[in-house]
Coordinates of all heavy atoms in Angstrom, one line a residue:
V131 N -11.1 145.4 114.5 CA -11.0 146.0 113.2 C -12.3 146.3 112.6 O -13.3 145.6 112.9 CB -10.1 145.2 112.2 CG1 -8.6 145.2 112.7 CG2 -10.6 143.8 112.1
F132 N -12.4 147.2 111.7 CA -13.6 147.8 111.1 C -13.4 148.1 109.6 O -12.3 148.5 109.2 CB -14.0 149.0 111.9 CG -15.3 149.7 111.5 CD1 -16.4 149.4 112.2 CD2 -15.3 150.7 110.5 CE1 -17.6 150.0 111.9 CE2 -16.5 151.3 110.2 CZ -17.6 151.0 110.9
C133 N -14.5 147.9 108.8 CA -14.4 148.3 107.4 C -15.7 148.7 106.9 O -16.7 148.0 107.2 CB -13.8 147.1 106.6 SG -13.6 147.4 104.9
D134 N -15.8 149.8 106.2 CA -17.0 150.2 105.5 C -16.7 151.2 104.4 O -15.6 151.3 104.0 CB -18.0 150.9 106.6 CG -17.5 152.2 107.1 OD1 -16.3 152.6 106.8 OD2 -18.3 152.9 107.7
V135 N -17.8 151.7 103.8 CA -17.6 152.6 102.6 C -16.9 153.9 103.0 O -16.2 154.5 102.3 CB -18.9 152.9 101.9 CG1 -19.4 151.7 101.2 CG2 -19.9 153.5 102.9
V136 N -17.1 154.3 104.3 CA -16.5 155.6 104.8 C -15.0 155.4 104.8 O -14.2 156.4 104.6 CB -17.0 156.0 106.1 CG1 -16.4 157.3 106.6 CG2 -18.6 156.1 106.0
S137 N -14.5 154.2 105.1 CA -13.0 153.9 105.2 C -12.5 153.5 103.8 O -11.4 153.1 103.7 CB -12.7 152.8 106.2 OG -13.2 151.6 105.7
D138 N -13.4 153.7 102.8 CA -13.0 153.3 101.4 C -12.7 151.9 101.2 O -11.8 151.5 100.4 CB -11.9 154.2 100.9 CG -12.3 155.7 100.7 OD1 -13.5 155.9 100.3 OD2 -11.5 156.5 100.9
G139 N -13.2 151.0 102.0 CA -13.0 149.6 101.9 C -11.6 149.2 102.5 O -11.2 148.0 102.3
I140 N -11.0 150.1 103.3 CA -9.8 149.8 103.9 C -10.0 149.4 105.4 O -10.8 150.0 106.1 CB -8.8 151.0 103.9 CG1 -8.5 151.4 102.4 CG2 -7.5 150.6 104.6 CD1 -7.9 150.3 101.6
V141 N -9.4 148.3 105.9 CA -9.6 147.9 107.2 C -8.8 148.8 108.2 O -7.7 149.1 108.0 CB -9.0 146.4 107.4 CG1 -9.2 146.0 108.9 CG2 -9.8 145.5 106.5
I142 N -9.6 149.3 109.2 CA -9.0 150.3 110.1 C -9.3 149.8 111.6 O -10.1 148.9 111.8 CB -9.6 151.7 110.0 CG1 -11.1 151.6 110.1 CG2 -9.2 152.2 108.6 CD1 -11.8 153.0 110.1
D143 N -8.7 150.4 112.5 CA -8.9 150.1 114.0 C -10.3 150.6 114.3 O -10.8 151.7 113.8 CB -7.9 150.7 114.8 CG -8.0 150.3 116.3 OD1 -8.8 150.9 117.0 OD2 -7.2 149.4 116.6
I144 N -11.0 149.9 115.2 CA -12.4 150.3 115.5 C -12.4 151.7 116.2 O -13.4 152.4 116.0 CB -13.1 149.3 116.4 CG1 -12.3 149.1 117.7 CG2 -13.4 148.0 115.7 CD1 -13.0 148.2 118.7
D145 N -11.3 152.1 116.8 CA -11.3 153.4 117.4 C -11.2 154.5 116.4 O -11.4 155.7 116.7 CB -10.1 153.5 118.4 CG -10.3 152.6 119.6 OD1 -11.4 152.3 120.0 OD2 -9.2 152.1 120.1
E146 N -10.8 154.2 115.1 CA -10.7 155.2 114.1 C -12.0 155.2 113.2 O -12.0 156.1 112.3 CB -9.5 154.8 113.2 CG -8.2 154.8 113.9 CD -7.0 154.3 113.0 OE1 -7.3 154.1 111.9 OE2 -5.9 154.3 113.6
A147 N -12.9 154.4 113.5 CA -14.2 154.3 112.7 C -14.9 155.6 112.8 O -15.2 156.1 114.0 CB -15.0 153.2 113.1
E148 N -15.3 156.2 111.7 CA -16.2 157.4 111.8 C -17.6 157.0 112.0 O -18.0 155.9 111.8 CB -16.0 158.2 110.5 CG -14.6 158.7 110.2 CD -14.5 159.6 109.0 OE1 -15.6 160.2 108.6 OE2 -13.4 159.7 108.5
G149 N -18.4 158.0 112.4 CA -19.8 157.8 112.6 C -20.1 156.9 113.8 O -21.1 156.1 113.8
R150 N -19.3 157.1 114.9 CA -19.5 156.3 116.1 C -20.8 156.6 116.8 O -21.2 155.9 117.7 CB -18.3 156.4 117.0 CG -17.0 155.8 116.3 CD -15.8 156.1 117.1 NE -15.8 155.6 118.5 CZ -15.5 154.3 118.8 NH1 -15.1 153.5 117.8 NH2 -15.5 153.9 120.0
R151 N -21.5 157.7 116.5 CA -22.7 158.0 117.1 C -23.9 157.5 116.3 O -25.1 157.7 116.7 CB -22.9 159.6 117.2 CG -21.9 160.1 118.3 CD -22.2 161.6 118.5 NE -21.3 162.2 119.5 CZ -21.3 163.4 119.9 NH1 -22.2 164.3 119.4 NH2 -20.5 163.9 120.8
K152 N -23.7 156.9 115.2 CA -24.7 156.3 114.4 C -25.4 155.2 115.2 O -24.7 154.5 115.9 CB -24.2 155.8 113.0 CG -23.8 156.9 112.1 CD -23.4 156.4 110.8 CE -22.8 157.5 109.9 NZ -23.8 158.4 109.5

Side-chain angles (χ1 to χ4, degrees):
V131 291
F132 182 92
C133 184
D134 69 349
V135 290
V136 181
S137 71
D138 292 325
I140 303 300
V141 178
I142 59 176
D143 189 276
I144 57 172
D145 293 331
E146 299 174 2
E148 296 186 25
R150 294 172 62 82
R151 292 187 178 181
K152 293 183 183 296

